[in-house]
Amino acid sequence: MDIFLDNAATSFPKPLAVPDAIYDYIVNNGGTSGRGSYEKAILADGLVYQTRKSLAKLFNHDDPKTVVFTSSVTESLNLALKGILKPGDHVVTSSLEHNAVWRCLKTLERDQGIHITVVPATEQGETDIKDVAAAITPTTKMIVFTHASNVLGTIQPIAEIGALARKKNILFLVDAAQTAGVIPIDVQEQNIDLLAFTGHKSLLGPMGTGGLIVNCDANIDPLISGGTGGDSAYEYQPDYYPNHLEAGTMNVSGIIGLGAALAFLEAEGLETIRHKEDTLMDYALNALSEVPGIEIYGPRDSSKTVGVIPFNIEDHVPEEIAFYLDQECHVMIRSGLHCAPSV
Ligand SMILES: Cc1ncc(COP(=O)(O)O)c(C=O)c1O
């Protein structure tokens, strides 16, 4: 039997309702969204809007129109960072960021002259809110934080950082790649201005789906310009949402698949999913700690982490362990730097 343990990269298997919904749309509908006025196009449009509504509900966002679809959380983060930050702006971030944030910030630092302050974390990946407060300067425009480290699993104090950002009138961008679909997120209560998420990890949807929840009135420049299906004679990108930040034919099949995944998540309940993940984590942490020569990193307390357990085994390089597990045991794990080299 194959055992897939690479869910931090992408979740597998998906609920069967996901491929079923995609198949049904491609075979029986096939219309684009926001363009045609024939019945099938309107039906496709309705299904896309339903996914926006489900996402708004999941994250307690009050306006589905400002749920912007992208192709990935990487694109969502680029959109928020490149669309908002201007030369001279200061940004506070964590030392746990994935390259989706880090490379984008470094590029803006080199090409646009933004300034970055990195908040240190403990060896367990824990952040002290006092360090975040100390990093803020009069020119801080944004705080960008991962909700949970994809390397150590450690969940970050998002609600406290959100409250601090709100008090200081600083934009707060959260990378929810590792948490959306497994840890409850409330953009209003947690004062999250911009929430970047991906569809293909714990939201259980297909690859090529993701989005940005815009819970603020910040001016965001689009990453791309192009057709939106409406106001075609107007020569610039419209300034109303979601069209302001969505150009080109959408990934309708993927978004419909994501909609089916969200219905599955709602029926299961995040609490049930999180409870199962906690149980599996406790089991795995106990069992792994008996392996001779193993060193496990990050918190040993499943309530402080998402379902990620990083480890090394004495005298073996990680790639060797991953290769052995795959070839001899049909267990699929990830080895390497996990796109977050500073961690
Ligand atoms: C914390 C975090 N941010 C961003 C990403 C990038 O995700 P994607 O490649 O789906 O855009 C990942 C993926 O591993 C991640 O774990």
Side-chain angles (χ1 to χ4, degrees), residues 2 34 48 51 60 74 120 146 163 202 209 219 240 249-250 306 335 340:
D2 284 344
V48 167
T51 306
N60 193 28
T74 299
T146 187
S202 292
T209 59
N219 188 25
Y240 53 84
T249 297
M250 310 180 80
V306 289
S335 62

Side-chain angles (χ1 to χ4, degrees), residues 8-10 71-77 96-101 146-151 175-178 198-201 209 334 338-339:
T10 195
S71 64
S72 64
V73 67
T74 299
E75 186 186 328
S76 311
L77 291 161
L96 306 164
E97 297 307 306
H98 186 279
N99 275 339
V101 168
T146 187
H147 191 179
S149 162
N150 65 307
V151 179
D175 174 357
Q178 291 296 334
T198 182
H200 72 97
K201 296 185 195 261
T209 59
R334 177 84 181 267
H338 310 295
C339 298

Side-chain angles (χ1 to χ4, degrees), residues 66-339:
T66 47
V67 175
V68 172
F69 285 119
T70 63
S71 64
S72 64
V73 67
T74 299
E75 186 186 328
S76 311
L77 291 161
N78 271 261
L79 174 59
L81 294 169
K82 292 182 177 157
I84 293 177
L85 296 174
K86 299 279 178 282
D89 284 342
H90 175 248
V91 179
V92 173
T93 191
S94 81
S95 58
L96 306 164
E97 297 307 306
H98 186 279
N99 275 339
V101 168
W102 189 239
R103 283 184 172 162
C104 192
L105 287 179
K106 289 302 283 180
T107 306
L108 287 168
E109 179 188 49
R110 185 191 61 196
D111 300 345
Q112 301 285 336
I114 68 151
H115 306 288
I116 309 168
T117 299
V118 175
V119 177
T122 64
E123 213 172 283
Q124 303 285 305
E126 280 156 350
T127 302
D128 188 333
I129 186 73
K130 287 199 218 82
D131 292 332
V132 183
I136 293 172
T137 73
T139 58
T140 306
K141 178 79 177 258
M142 187 188 281
I143 300 176
V144 49
F145 248 74
T146 187
H147 191 179
S149 162
N150 65 307
V151 179
L152 296 166
T154 322
I155 299 167
Q156 300 303 301
I158 289 307
E160 285 99 315
I161 302 172
L164 175 68
R166 185 57 47 101
K167 200 167 115 204
K168 301 272 184 186
N169 207 14
I170 295 168
L171 290 170
F172 185 33
L173 165 62
V174 173
D175 174 357
Q178 291 296 334
T179 51
V182 69
I183 308 278
I185 298 174
D186 183 323
V187 293
Q188 299 192 58
E189 202 173 296
Q190 296 172 316
N191 293 303
I192 298 170
D193 296 304
L194 299 144
L195 183 78
F197 62 91
T198 182
H200 72 97
K201 296 185 195 261
S202 292
L203 287 181
L204 306 178
M207 292 175 188
T209 59
L212 182 69
I213 307 268
V214 182
N215 183 34
C216 62
D217 54 16
N219 188 25
I220 308 177
D221 292 332
L223 271 186
I224 52 170
S225 309
T228 54
D231 293 314
S232 296
Y234 184 60
E235 292 179 302
Y236 301 94
Q237 205 60 20
D239 57 6
Y240 53 84
Y241 279 85
N243 303 38
H244 181 52
L245 299 179
E246 286 177 357
T249 297
M250 310 180 80
N251 176 7
V252 178
S253 52
I255 292 168
I256 288 173
L258 177 59
L262 292 165
F264 172 89
L265 286 177
E266 189 172 353
E268 287 289 306
L270 249 53
E271 231 170 78
T272 311
I273 291 170
R274 176 72 175 146
H275 179 68
K276 180 158 184 196
E277 189 168 292
D278 274 356
T279 311
L280 290 170
M281 279 289 282
D282 290 337
Y283 172 83
L285 281 166
N286 278 334
L288 277 171
S289 45
E290 282 166 24
V291 174
I294 198 163
E295 187 176 0
I296 299 175
Y297 310 101
R300 297 279 185 108
D301 174 351
S302 61
S303 70
K304 292 185 174 172
T305 70
V306 289
V308 176
I309 307 178
F311 64 89
N312 264 314
I313 297 180
E314 212 177 10
D315 297 331
H316 297 278
V317 292
E319 288 73 12
E320 186 190 335
I321 307 288
F323 185 72
Y324 171 83
L325 285 174
D326 183 37
Q327 296 297 306
E328 301 297 326
C329 317
H330 307 287
V331 172
M332 287 160 262
I333 64 162
R334 177 84 181 267
S335 62
L337 287 177
H338 310 295
C339 298

Side-chain angles (χ1 to χ4, degrees), residues 51-68:
T51 306
R52 282 192 217 278
K53 268 177 47 182
S54 302
L55 287 161
K57 185 172 175 202
L58 178 67
F59 300 125
N60 193 28
H61 179 50
D62 57 13
D63 183 6
K65 288 195 294 306
T66 47
V67 175
V68 172

